[in-house]
Amino acid sequence: MTYVVTVDALIPKSSTEMDPLQRAGAVALIEDGFSSVEAIEGPDGMEVDLLDTIVAVYPGGAILKVFVDAAALEFAEEAVRSVVGELLERSQLLADWQIERCEVELHPELAQESLAAADGPDALPDDLADRKARHTESPTPGDESEGYDAEAQAEVVRGQMLARADQLRSFPPVIFGVLDDEDGEDDEEGAGEFATSPEDAKLAAGALAYATDIFVDELFQDVQTLTEEDTTAAECDGPLWHFEGLPERYALQYDARFARRFLVTVIAMTTRFTDGSFQQLSCVAEELALKLLLTETNVTLETFGLLDDGVSAALDSFADNVYEDMDHEWLYDDSMDGIDESAVGEDLGVAPMAFKAWFTPFNEGRYVHPSAAEPAGAAQ
């Protein structure tokens, strides 16, 4: 079975944060280390196949997504912890890094059910589409399953989200609608009544960071599905998590190649969110990626009963501040097809939105990952 193991590796607490050049060097060292590994020896000599890796480095360390084929979750986690530890020790520059976390993230209730059911009558369905539907169901308030306390689990997840809020270094609380001190002093008309509370802003920020892991994992599964079937989102028989959420008019062009470019774009965008370097969204693909990420964040919060009006308002404020405009929404309206190439679009300053331009930077100051921004003239 394929598992996605998340590894948090941190620089020593006594060290200064890495600058951009050091972060680039860390990425190269980690990726080079993984490139030399095909399989890992797990517990009791059990072989674990290494399928793929994603490396995202920020000033305080790195987040790794390691995709492995293993007989059991525990084998996957132990094998990945072993190989990452060895890769860090092997490099003089990374030898002092510490592995803070190495785990497969599963929905607690469904993981418990899977273990309890095994091959019994409550075993998860073999059909992937049915299994996806099962795993995307939200726990219902009336669920009386033994051994699962929805309120307690919600508190656990809430704590995990709050602990990750500081990872979004590019976004101070004001981006989530919190009034700064100067605004608070000048508030004479009661505008503060409509401001976001710091607590809601922190939970919204943490939820975004929490949902990013889920989003990336699911996108990678979509890439695998499209690659294995050698087809497009419009023709795919297997379940897809997110590519069905992109503008439907281009579904025949969402193939494995596009999916890989989109995944790289998501990683590049969210890395800028966490390393403090984010300034503006760079291209149409990033605008669409953020739309999907916000949807994932809302769904995750709602799943655990954490999406109240305050947190929802904080996420709305975040979207309002990060998006420069909402022109990308026209891609979901067939009646607006081609507006970017019309006289009206020119008057409104609409950026090119044709499919071939999705990974093209809006201007020279925007960053698009080289693996996504292919040379001009490449087939689209």
Side-chain angles (χ1 to χ4, degrees), residues 40-293:
I40 313 166
E41 184 173 324
D44 301 323
M46 180 72 67
E47 187 173 273
V48 175
D49 293 328
L50 178 64
L51 304 178
D52 209 336
T53 57
I54 297 173
V55 180
V57 173
Y58 59 97
I63 297 176
L64 316 178
K65 297 289 184 180
V66 186
F67 300 81
V68 295
D69 186 10
L73 181 150
E74 293 79 6
F75 292 169
E77 291 179 340
E78 187 168 339
V80 170
R81 178 180 288 275
S82 174
V83 75
V84 172
E86 184 178 339
L87 292 179
L88 295 178
E89 291 178 5
R90 193 185 303 169
S91 169
Q92 183 177 356
L93 296 177
L94 308 178
D96 294 332
W97 285 32
Q98 299 295 319
I99 298 176
E100 179 75 9
R101 177 173 66 120
C102 180
E103 63 182 7
V104 175
E105 295 178 346
L106 295 175
H107 188 297
E109 179 186 13
L110 296 175
Q112 184 177 5
E113 288 182 2
S114 297
L115 290 172
D119 295 325
D122 295 324
L124 292 175
D126 292 331
D127 182 79
L128 291 178
D130 291 342
R131 186 173 296 191
K132 174 185 173 180
R134 172 75 175 276
H135 278 264
T136 52
E137 288 178 355
S138 300
T140 57
D143 187 359
E144 299 179 355
S145 300
E146 295 182 4
Y148 181 73
D149 186 333
E151 291 185 3
Q153 185 57 43
E155 281 304 305
V156 170
V157 174
R158 185 176 186 275
Q160 292 173 342
M161 289 178 173
L162 291 173
R164 300 191 62 176
D166 292 340
Q167 292 181 0
L168 262 65
R169 300 180 179 216
S170 291
F171 306 113
V174 68
I175 297 295
F176 292 90
V178 178
L179 295 178
D180 59 26
D181 294 338
E182 184 176 340
D183 289 335
E185 293 174 0
D186 295 340
D187 177 27
E188 299 178 357
E189 302 297 329
E193 297 178 7
F194 303 99
T196 303
S197 72
E199 294 77 15
D200 287 337
K202 185 172 183 179
L203 182 56
L208 274 165
Y210 186 96
T212 294
D213 282 353
I214 301 172
F215 186 39
V216 170
D217 289 350
E218 292 173 347
L219 281 176
F220 196 94
Q221 292 176 44
D222 282 354
V223 171
Q224 287 187 307
T225 298
L226 291 171
T227 300
E228 290 171 0
E229 293 197 18
D230 190 22
T231 188
T232 66
E235 303 165 320
C236 185
D237 292 328
L240 294 173
W241 291 99
H242 293 290
F243 288 108
E244 294 172 346
L246 291 175
E248 187 177 358
R249 75 178 73 153
Y250 298 113
L252 284 170
Q253 301 193 62
Y254 304 151
D255 56 11
R257 179 170 172 273
F258 167 84
R260 287 191 291 270
R261 295 174 70 192
F262 192 80
L263 174 59
V264 168
T265 297
V266 168
I267 295 170
M269 178 185 74
T270 54
T271 297
R272 302 203 315 279
F273 286 1
T274 57
D275 70 8
S277 66
F278 179 83
Q279 295 181 339
Q280 294 171 306
L281 296 172
S282 296
C283 59
V284 172
E286 284 198 352
E287 292 181 331
L288 295 171
L290 180 56
K291 176 183 174 71
L292 297 184
L293 174 57

